[in-house]
Amino acid sequence: MTDNNPAQSQPEETPKPVKPVKPKRDPRAKLYKPDHPLILASSPHFHVKDTVPTIMWNVILALIPATVMALIYFQWAAAGIILSSVLAAVVSEMIVNRIKGEAFTIPDGSAAITGLLLALTLPPSFSIGGAVLGSVFAIIIGKHVFGGLGYNIFNPALLGRAFLQASFPVPMTTWTWPLTARYAEVDGITAATPLGLFKFETITSELPGLLTGNISGSLGETSAIAILAGGIYLLIRKYADWRIPLSFLGSVFLVSGVFWLVSPETYPTPVFQLFSGGLMLGAFFMATDMVTSPVTAKGAWIFGAGAGFLLVIIRLFGGLPEGVMYSILLLNALTPLINRYTRPKFFGEIRA
């Protein structure tokens, strides 16, 4: 029997060798490949070790010398005002936190520092109830109405003091001498501040009294040395922009110096202007508030110089002998505008 299948009769074809296909190179291989995986995240991208609580508690630490001097000079009166003001600020903060349904922000120290700063700007004879009211106003109206820490336009402590100044003008301008050995046998003697003495009686206080604080005035603004010690600590730790106090004090010295050169009998010396009143406390601890002061270097110079100029004008020609509070609050209001016009130009930006 013969096999007639033609397919079996033909020889099998040898398969052609297949030329291997060279794999295409991935074009992404030419791109930069970092050693570590990239992390995509929103700003800020630059982080430092110092946190908000760290800065706040260091500011409180810097205020200890001025607070101790207030306790030495005004004793129990100072202790009552400071404790009540700080406690009222902390409790107000907790109540607002609870109402807003957010975690307690007491540990960051911002409420405590507001209460302490407000207390140091009050007269020793001021009532405890008034101090409590000022702290509540500072926390609720000065801070949380604007959105909380980081969103407030004005310095909360100064806003609380402005409220007390408008509400209780007589107690806020009634001063007493420190309870030092000179007046140890009496409970207190009312007296004008050095600025008031010069403005209304043309009497200049001696420089040693201004430096040590053995004079009448607010609790924390009497001793310039104590305030300077704390202020220099803040500058060394870089928790305050050195441009602001330098331009603030320099502007006061130059502007008041011009007036003094024109008429030494009418206007006080620049040194007296520097070390009297609340200038040191305001320049180092209130004008340097990171939230309410400009973020640019040029803006910081403008802010400090403008506050110093306004302060001298208010002191020399205003109805009140002191003007630190108003000068800083006015510059707080101008801070957004200063930031806008002193912002560095972006790379490649063309301004109209």
Side-chain angles (χ1 to χ4, degrees):
M1 186 175 180
T2 306
D3 189 0
N4 297 325
N5 189 353
Q8 294 182 352
S9 62
Q10 295 178 359
E12 296 182 357
E13 294 181 357
T14 306
K16 296 181 179 178
V18 179
K19 186 178 181 181
V21 179
K22 187 177 182 181
K24 293 183 179 179
R25 296 187 60 183
D26 188 351
R28 294 175 297 180
K30 296 180 180 179
L31 300 177
Y32 167 72
K33 290 184 177 180
D35 297 330
H36 303 284
L38 294 177
I39 299 175
L40 298 179
S42 59
S43 60
H45 304 293
F46 181 72
H47 299 276
V48 295
K49 295 180 180 178
D50 296 324
T51 60
V52 170
T54 301
I55 297 173
M56 292 295 176
W57 289 110
N58 271 276
V59 174
I60 293 177
L61 181 64
L63 283 170
I64 286 180
T67 305
V68 170
M69 296 305 293
L71 294 173
I72 291 174
Y73 285 131
F74 302 106
Q75 301 177 10
W76 289 110
I81 292 176
I82 292 172
L83 289 177
S84 60
S85 181
V86 172
L87 185 61
V90 171
V91 172
S92 300
E93 181 89 359
M94 294 176 65
I95 293 174
V96 174
N97 290 151
R98 179 58 60 87
I99 293 174
K100 295 169 68 176
E102 60 187 18
F104 288 134
T105 55
I106 304 303
D108 66 17
S110 60
I113 196 172
T114 298
L116 180 58
L117 279 174
L118 174 64
L120 294 179
T121 64
L122 298 178
S125 59
F126 199 67
S127 66
I128 291 179
V132 170
L133 186 61
S135 287
V136 172
F137 186 91
I139 293 296
I140 296 178
I141 305 299
K143 181 179 177 182
H144 284 285
V145 163
F146 293 98
L149 181 63
Y151 298 96
N152 51 294
I153 300 174
F154 302 99
N155 185 295
L158 282 181
L159 208 59
R161 192 185 192 280
F163 167 73
L164 294 177
Q165 181 79 47
S167 303
F168 310 102
V170 175
M172 285 293 290
T173 53
T174 301
W175 314 96
T176 58
W177 276 99
L179 300 176
T180 54
R182 185 179 178 184
Y183 303 108
E185 298 178 356
V186 295
D187 294 334
I189 297 178
T190 58
T193 63
L195 288 172
L197 279 174
F198 187 87
K199 190 174 189 64
F200 301 115
E201 302 178 32
T202 323
I203 299 175
T204 303
S205 303
E206 296 180 353
L207 183 59
L210 299 175
L211 293 174
T212 59
N214 194 14
I215 53 173
S216 61
S218 297
L219 291 177
E221 66 183 35
T222 55
S223 175
I225 293 178
I227 299 170
L228 276 172
I232 292 173
Y233 171 78
L234 287 183
L235 298 183
I236 292 174
R237 296 297 304 269
K238 297 184 179 179
Y239 293 147
D241 190 340
W242 59 271
R243 301 173 186 85
I244 294 178
L246 180 61
S247 57
F248 200 161
L249 300 176
S251 175
V252 169
F253 187 86
L254 291 176
V255 176
S256 62
V258 171
F259 283 102
W260 177 70
L261 290 174
V262 171
S263 178
E265 298 81 11
T266 306
Y267 303 111
T269 66
V271 175
F272 174 79
Q273 292 277 20
L274 283 181
F275 294 104
S276 59
L279 174 57
M280 289 292 172
L281 187 67
F284 283 101
F285 290 95
M286 295 180 176
T288 55
D289 181 8
M290 294 181 179
V291 178
T292 58
S293 60
V295 297
T296 62
K298 188 185 297 182
W301 287 111
I302 295 173
F303 183 93
F309 175 79
L310 286 177
L311 170 62
V312 175
I313 298 302
I314 293 173
R315 279 184 175 181
L316 297 183
F317 305 105
L320 296 173
E322 181 58 289
V324 172
M325 176 183 68
Y326 295 113
S327 63
I328 295 177
L329 288 177
L330 286 172
L331 266 297
N332 285 161
L334 295 177
T335 294
L337 194 64
I338 296 174
N339 282 332
R340 178 178 179 180
Y341 287 103
T342 58
R343 176 180 60 82
K345 189 173 68 173
F346 296 140
F347 181 73
E349 180 186 17
I350 299 177
R351 289 182 176 175

